[in-house]
DNA sequence: CAAATATACATTGGAATCTTATGTATTAAA
DNA sequence: TTTAATACATAAGATTCCAATGTATATTTG
């Protein structure tokens, strides 16, 4: 996904990594499905991550040394837990701060010109 | 561009349209180069639009009926002014609101989990 | 108990968006 | 006079995400 029912979904590109790393900086370890559910609940369904976006990202982050994994058997199923590496924790903090700054800059920019959106026809 | 010196530039994908339409909802008409300079100044250089992203977008928005153009001769040069159509003004308002909501949702989501970004090693 | 739903992983093809690089040309400043 | 600024434009490539599909186990519900 990134099924963002309330938003034109293009807005969110680039924030998935931030969301995931930030979550893992607070929770010791999480598995993919758990992440999707957590984000969904925390945002009242406003942000929903798709597997097609999430799983490849998790694999990439592991390959890049930002995450480590441990497999845990749950009955006959194998659950894959992800945790931050030291590098991942650092990156997490940076990305969150970057988003905050960007968000602030954007909102200021939009404020400057959104007093009355009008049609100058 | 989208040369965002302070940000990992991926964060901004999807906001270019919002920025441009919002600008044009406040200024009767603007031309491409003017838009890049305006955004640059208004954000203290934090957001810089590249021509490679801006011009194709302007063309697309015109093709989609959100913008109209008028060419003005400046000496030997032709300057291309863009203005919002009625449809464009409506879209502008929607996109700005969507960004605000998304921004708010994201910041709340990040707040929930950023008390202390840490390495659980 | 059977069927539907939830849990849980994964990959692939394609769309959309942006960057980098390149190109042309005029005008102003150093 | 040469450099920088103004002003447009396009093309190739990277990145990121979505939709679709696939597999399989576990739980809930009718």
């Amino acid at each position: 996904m990134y099924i963002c029912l309330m938003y034109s979904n293009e807005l969110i590109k680039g924030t998935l990594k931030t969301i995931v790393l930030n979550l893992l900086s607070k929770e010791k370890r999480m598995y993919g499905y758990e992440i999707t559910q957590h984000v969904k609940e925390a945002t009242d369904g406003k942000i929903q991550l798709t597997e097609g976006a999430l799983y490849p990202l998790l694999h990439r982050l592991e390959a890049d040394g930002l995450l480590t994994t441990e497999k845990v058997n749950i009955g006959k199923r194998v659950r894959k837990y992800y945790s931050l590496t030291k590098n991942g924790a650092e990156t997490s903090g940076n990305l969150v701060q970057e988003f905050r700054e960007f968000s602030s800059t954007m909102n200021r920019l939009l404020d400057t010109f959104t007093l009355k959106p009008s049609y100058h026809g």
Side-chain angles (χ1 to χ4, degrees), chain A residues 60-72:
Chain A
R60 238 182 299 141
L61 293 175
E62 187 186 5
D64 292 347
L66 303 182
L67 299 180
T68 51
T69 59
E70 40 181 335
K71 292 178 182 174
V72 175

Side-chain angles (χ1 to χ4, degrees), chain A residues 3-17:
Chain A
I3 290 176
C4 286
L5 307 164
M6 304 189 58
Y7 314 123
S8 66
N9 36 11
E10 298 110 51
L11 271 181
I12 327 163
K13 292 207 173 186
T15 60
L16 180 51
K17 192 155 103 180

Side-chain angles (χ1 to χ4, degrees), chain A residues 32-90:
Chain A
Y33 185 76
E34 192 182 12
I35 294 175
T36 65
Q37 298 309 300
H38 201 122
V39 171
K40 189 178 173 182
E41 283 166 31
T43 64
D44 294 316
K46 285 169 189 164
I47 297 180
Q48 291 179 236
L49 312 184
T50 59
E51 293 121 310
L54 181 61
Y55 288 116
L57 172 68
L58 289 172
H59 302 163
R60 238 182 299 141
L61 293 175
E62 187 186 5
D64 292 347
L66 303 182
L67 299 180
T68 51
T69 59
E70 40 181 335
K71 292 178 182 174
V72 175
N73 285 26
I74 305 291
K76 286 180 180 177
R77 269 196 294 215
V78 178
R79 191 181 281 168
K80 210 167 160 187
Y81 278 97
Y82 290 88
S83 307
L84 283 189
T85 62
K86 208 165 164 182
N87 201 334
E90 209 178 308

